[in-house]
Amino acid sequence: MPSAPHGSATDRWSMSFTTGTRFQPDGRSDERLPILFVRFDKGAKHVARQPITVGSLLEMRAFGVEFGAFTLWNKTRPADEAVVSKAIRSRDTMAFLYDPSMTTYSVSSHVAAYALGSSDVVAMTDAGFKVADIALNLTANAFNKLVHPPAMGTNLPRERLRGFRVQRDRGYAFTTLLFHLRGLVTDVASEAAIQTALTRAGLRPLDELLAQARVAIERKRKTELLSPELRVIRERLVDAGLTVLYRRNFDELRMWPAPLIAPGPLVMTGEDCAEFHVSTPTLSVEQTCFLHDCYSRLRDQTKLALRAARGFEFGWSDYVY
C-alpha cells in the first residue's frame, strides 16, 4: 500500500477503490444501491475485495480506543520497558493490519493511511478514530451535502455517487472525510484540521452536526410500537445513544471512550459464556435476549417471505436461501 503503515517487505499490499451494486430479490442489480469496496493485492496475487461497512468503522473506533489505552499505560512504564512494549505493540499491529483473514476489521485503518498519505500509525489511528465517530453520526441532511473529493477518483458513475448519499453509506462518508483531511494531519487530527475537512466536504461545523444527530436520535421516540417490551428497550437505547454522543477534544490525542459510567452493551465471555457489563448496563440480560429473539424471528420470516416470492415467480422451481 503506498504510504501505508510499514509492515515487512513481503507483507506490503497495494490497494484501490472499486464499486459494486447490491442485488435485489429478483436477481437484478440496482445502480441506486452501490457498495464501496477496497481491493487489496500483494504483487500479482489478489488478497481481498472488502466493503467498508459500519462494522469496520466500529472496529476502527475500537482499535483507536485500544491504541489510546495502550499509549496511556505505556507512559507509566519504565523507559526501557516502554521501548520493548512499543516494539511488541507495533509488531502485533502490523500482523493484524496485513492479515488477509482480518480485512473486514482492518480495512478502515488501511483507508485512513491511504487517504491521509501517511505512514505514521499514530496519525492514521487518531484520524481514523475521530472521522469514524463523525461518519457514524451523520444525518440524512449531511449526506445530501457531502462533496466527493477529487483525490478519491472522478470515475465513479453519477448514479452510484448519488446512491451513496441517498443510502447514507457511512463507509463512503468515512472515506470522503479522510480524503478531505489529506494534508492537514501531522501526528494528531486537530480541531482546526477536522473543521477544515468538514468545510471541504460541504458540511456544517461539528457542533451543528452533533446537534442534528441528537435531533435524529430523539425522533426515534415518536414511532409507535405495539410491544410494550420494545417500547421500553427503545427508550433505553435512545437514552444511551444521547449519553455517548458527546463532544470530544480534537486538539488532544484522546482515543479513549466515554467514562465508565456511560452505558455499555452486554458482554459474554467465549469460554464459559459468563455475562457482564464493562460499564453501566444499557439493557438487562432479559431485554437483550428478547431483542435477539425478535431479530431471529424477523430474519426467519423474511427468509420465508423471499422464498415464497421467488417460488411464486418461478413456478416453485427456484428458491432463495
Side-chain angles (χ1 to χ4, degrees), residues 79-251:
D80 55 341
E81 294 182 13
V83 171
V84 175
S85 298
K86 185 176 181 180
I88 294 174
R89 173 71 184 180
S90 297
R91 181 198 64 193
D92 292 344
T93 298
M94 291 303 105
F96 163 70
L97 292 177
Y98 289 95
D99 184 342
S101 66
M102 299 295 287
T103 56
T104 299
Y105 309 103
S106 65
V107 62
S108 296
S109 299
H110 285 284
V111 169
Y114 185 84
L116 295 175
S118 173
S119 60
D120 189 310
V121 176
V122 174
M124 171 268 289
T125 305
D126 178 69
F129 172 82
K130 293 171 180 176
V131 171
D133 197 60
I134 296 172
L136 288 167
N137 287 294
L138 290 181
T139 62
N141 182 59
F143 273 96
N144 291 336
K145 298 177 180 179
L146 202 57
V147 175
H148 183 76
M152 188 177 168
T154 57
N155 59 342
L156 293 178
R158 180 176 297 181
E159 187 67 23
R160 293 191 182 183
L161 283 176
R162 183 176 181 276
F164 285 132
R165 298 186 183 99
V166 172
Q167 297 300 317
R168 305 180 199 176
D169 190 301
R170 302 194 182 276
Y172 172 75
F174 172 76
T175 306
T176 295
L177 291 175
L178 281 170
F179 270 100
H180 283 303
L181 198 57
R182 177 177 283 189
L184 302 174
V185 175
T186 52
D187 55 346
V188 174
S190 66
E191 182 82 18
I194 293 290
Q195 297 292 2
T196 300
L198 292 175
T199 300
R200 289 178 177 179
L203 302 181
R204 303 297 299 168
L206 183 60
D207 288 327
E208 293 187 32
L209 294 179
L210 293 179
Q212 292 173 7
R214 284 187 170 276
V215 172
I217 293 175
E218 284 286 2
R219 285 175 181 163
K220 300 292 183 181
R221 302 184 193 272
K222 298 181 180 180
T223 305
E224 292 297 328
L225 292 174
L226 295 178
S227 168
E229 293 93 341
L230 284 178
R231 285 201 296 270
V232 172
I233 289 174
R234 182 181 61 184
E235 288 299 310
R236 298 194 67 174
L237 290 175
V238 168
D239 290 338
L242 292 173
T243 300
V244 299
L245 186 65
Y246 68 98
R247 182 70 158 85
R248 290 176 171 78
N249 183 352
F250 285 155
D251 282 331

Side-chain angles (χ1 to χ4, degrees), residues 16-24 28-39 49-54 56 107 148 152 155-173 175:
S16 58
F17 292 102
T18 64
T19 62
T21 58
R22 292 178 174 85
F23 283 87
Q24 300 182 86
R28 300 174 184 174
S29 64
D30 191 339
E31 288 290 327
R32 297 169 300 178
L33 302 174
I35 308 172
L36 180 63
F37 289 96
V38 174
R39 178 187 172 97
R49 188 170 183 244
Q50 180 63 50
I52 309 172
T53 63
V54 168
S56 66
V107 62
H148 183 76
M152 188 177 168
N155 59 342
L156 293 178
R158 180 176 297 181
E159 187 67 23
R160 293 191 182 183
L161 283 176
R162 183 176 181 276
F164 285 132
R165 298 186 183 99
V166 172
Q167 297 300 317
R168 305 180 199 176
D169 190 301
R170 302 194 182 276
Y172 172 75
T175 306

